[in-house]
Amino acid sequence: MDHSEASRLMASEKYLLDELSPTEMEAFEEHLFGCHECALDVRAGSIFLEHGKVELANPASMPGRVAAEVRPSPLISWWRAAFAIPAMAVLLIVIGYQNFVTFPAMKGALAENRAPRILPAASLVSSAARGATPSVIQVNRGEPFLLPLDIQQQNAFQSYVVELQNPAGRVQWSLPVSRESIKDTLTIKAPGVDHAGHYELVVMGLNAQDQSSEVGRYPFDLQFARTANPEPK
C-alpha cells in the first residue's frame, strides 16, 4: 500500500476505528513503518480518542447523566456542569492546537529533512600537521554544518569518541564512533551553534578497558554569514 492509496481509503481513520479488513490492515501497518505522514495521522487520532474516552468516562463531563440509584440535587448537577464545560473546552483547545500547530510543524520538519539541502562544510586538518592553519566554516546562526573527518585506525583502540570543544574550551557535544565506521571518511552533521569563534574537534580512542587517549585534534574557525543576526554581547 502506498500513500496515495492509504489517503484514498482513509486508512488512518479506518485503522483507528478497526474498520479495515485483515488484508488492508496488514498492508497499512507495513506502510506505517515508512510513511511519516500516516504515522502522525494515526498518532493524532489516537490522542483524540484517548482524550475523548477519558472525558466520556468522567461523570462530570455528562451533566445530563443521572445515576439510577440516587438523583443528584440541582446544586450538584450545576457543579458538575460548571467543571465539565471548561474541561471539554480545554480538551478542544489541546486537540485543535495539536492538529493546527504541532502536527503541521512536525510534518513540515519531516518534509524539510527529506528535501535535499546544501550544508556548509570544510575539510579539517590535524593541528599536528606541519604548517597547518585552522579551516574556516561560514554558516548562519543555528544552522547545521558538516565536518568531514579522516581518522587513522589504530589497533590499540576498540572504539572512538569525537568531541566538539567550543571557544570557551568546554565540550559542546560528544559522539561515540565505532571502529568499523572510520574505515572511510567520517562525515558528521553538527547541530547549529549560537556563538562564532574558534572550535576544536577532538578525537579520543578507547581501549578494551575503556581508557581514553587523544588521537587527534582538528581546529577550525566558525564564522557567521553577514545575513545572520549580529552576535549578542
Side-chain angles (χ1 to χ4, degrees):
M1 180 181 295
D2 56 19
H3 184 67
S4 59
E5 184 180 0
S7 300
R8 179 177 57 81
L9 292 175
M10 299 180 66
S12 299
E13 293 81 356
K14 291 182 179 179
Y15 179 77
L16 292 170
L17 297 174
D18 198 19
E19 295 180 355
L20 293 174
S21 67
T23 303
E24 291 174 336
M25 181 173 294
E26 182 178 357
F28 181 65
E29 287 178 344
E30 292 180 358
H31 171 69
L32 276 178
F33 285 103
C35 182
H36 296 288
E37 294 185 12
C38 286
L40 287 175
D41 289 340
V42 170
R43 182 184 176 191
S46 177
I47 292 174
F48 176 83
L49 291 176
E50 287 299 323
H51 281 290
K53 289 178 181 179
V54 171
E55 288 301 322
L56 291 176
N58 184 5
S61 65
M62 301 291 292
R65 180 184 296 171
V66 180
E69 296 79 8
V70 179
R71 180 176 298 276
S73 66
L75 178 60
I76 295 178
S77 298
W78 174 87
W79 188 263
R80 287 182 175 179
F83 278 94
I85 294 175
M88 292 298 293
V90 171
L91 174 60
L92 291 175
I93 292 174
V94 171
I95 295 173
Y97 183 83
Q98 290 174 336
N99 289 337
F100 292 102
V101 179
T102 304
F103 292 111
M106 293 173 65
K107 290 182 178 180
L110 289 171
E112 183 180 354
N113 289 335
R114 288 194 295 243
R117 294 180 60 192
I118 297 177
L119 295 178
S123 298
L124 300 181
V125 180
S126 172
S127 59
R130 181 176 298 178
T133 57
S135 302
V136 177
I137 307 177
Q138 191 174 66
V139 301
N140 292 325
R141 186 190 306 276
E143 178 185 44
F145 53 93
L146 301 179
L147 295 173
L149 184 63
D150 288 315
I151 302 175
Q152 186 176 2
Q153 192 178 85
Q154 300 183 25
N155 295 331
F157 301 124
Q158 303 296 319
S159 62
Y160 299 84
V161 174
V162 178
E163 296 180 348
L164 180 68
Q165 294 185 358
N166 60 26
R170 299 188 180 92
V171 176
Q172 186 86 10
W173 49 256
S174 62
L175 176 69
V177 179
S178 65
R179 184 173 179 176
E180 291 74 18
S181 62
I182 66 171
K183 293 179 180 179
D184 300 315
T185 298
L186 183 69
T187 302
I188 301 173
K189 181 181 177 182
V193 298
D194 294 327
H195 300 281
H198 183 78
Y199 287 79
E200 287 191 343
L201 202 66
V202 181
V203 180
M204 308 291 293
L206 301 177
N207 61 19
Q209 291 75 37
D210 283 338
Q211 296 173 335
S212 61
S213 301
E214 184 172 313
V215 175
R217 189 174 289 264
Y218 302 82
F220 64 94
D221 292 329
L222 199 65
Q223 299 178 355
F224 288 152
R226 294 182 179 179
T227 54
N229 295 329
E231 180 81 11
K233 297 181 179 180

